[in-house]
Amino acid sequence: MDRLSLEPITIEMVEAVFSGDRGKLEAITGAKVPEAWPGRALVERAFSASLDAIRADPATRLWGDRLVITSGVERLMIGSVIFHGRPANGVAEVGYGVEETWQRKGIASEATRECVEWALSQDGIVAVTATTPPWHTASIRVLEKSGLVKIATEEHEILGEVLRFERRR
């Protein structure tokens, strides 16, 4: 991964995002943060938790979560890979996002594949899953390139029909 650095998300980073302190986040990460990312709403949605819940158990809530930062002269924060917390049942759920101007360059696939492989190497983890709407062909390609295969179609309370993908150990 010469062009990317996958760096652990810390509670200090999350607190900087929640407080809207872009300068602090850039100082912590040593990377320029894009104007459109991140924001409190995005963080709450990504972690499915409030700041208090994340503070109460950062090791569980931030388990495996990584920022995607460009390697090179100018470090740019361009996305993230999130696991929705350390799984209690051995099945980790992954999500990812890349800034729009960096999409369609293989970055999401590269970062997600690396994080999925990391998760599957952790004790007690037997599978990694993800869901995506059936119309989201770019997301489907990312999951397939990360070694996940479609295992089911499900109904999601907000998104409607979604495809579930999985990669087992």
Side-chain angles (χ1 to χ4, degrees):
M1 292 196 43
D2 293 337
R3 67 183 179 153
L4 301 176
S5 176
L6 298 174
E7 301 182 13
I9 295 175
T10 66
I11 188 65
E12 293 80 17
M13 292 174 189
V14 174
E15 288 173 340
V17 170
F18 269 76
S19 68
D21 193 337
R22 179 177 301 280
K24 183 176 181 181
L25 183 59
E26 289 180 340
I28 293 168
T29 61
K32 185 173 185 208
V33 177
E35 288 301 318
W37 191 92
R40 182 182 186 124
L42 176 64
V43 172
E44 287 177 331
R45 190 174 74 229
F47 293 104
S48 302
S50 68
L51 180 57
D52 289 338
I54 297 168
R55 280 181 179 146
D57 191 2
T60 296
R61 294 299 322 150
L62 302 176
W63 178 84
D65 297 343
R66 302 288 188 262
L67 289 178
V68 180
I69 298 176
T70 60
S71 298
V73 177
E74 183 179 30
R75 287 172 41 94
L76 304 171
M77 186 183 311
I78 60 172
S80 62
V81 179
I82 305 293
F83 279 102
H84 306 294
R86 179 190 311 269
N89 64 357
V91 179
E93 183 162 359
V94 70
Y96 46 86
V98 172
E99 282 296 300
E100 190 172 345
T101 58
W102 289 88
Q103 292 176 0
R104 292 178 176 73
K105 296 177 179 172
I107 289 169
S109 298
E110 185 177 337
T112 303
R113 181 177 51 252
E114 190 79 18
C115 290
V116 166
E117 289 173 5
W118 172 86
L120 290 171
S121 75
Q122 302 304 299
D123 287 341
I125 303 301
V126 297
V128 174
T129 66
T131 59
T132 190
W135 53 261
H136 203 312
T137 56
S139 184
I140 291 168
R141 281 195 311 274
V142 167
L143 295 172
E144 291 172 342
K145 288 180 179 181
S146 299
L148 284 81
V149 294
K150 181 184 162 197
I151 60 166
T153 300
E154 303 173 354
E155 278 300 313
H156 186 276
E157 62 188 48
I158 297 170
L159 302 173
E161 184 180 81
V162 294
L163 305 176
R164 177 159 302 277
F165 286 76
E166 179 182 76
R167 180 170 164 191
R168 297 194 74 75
R169 199 176 252 209

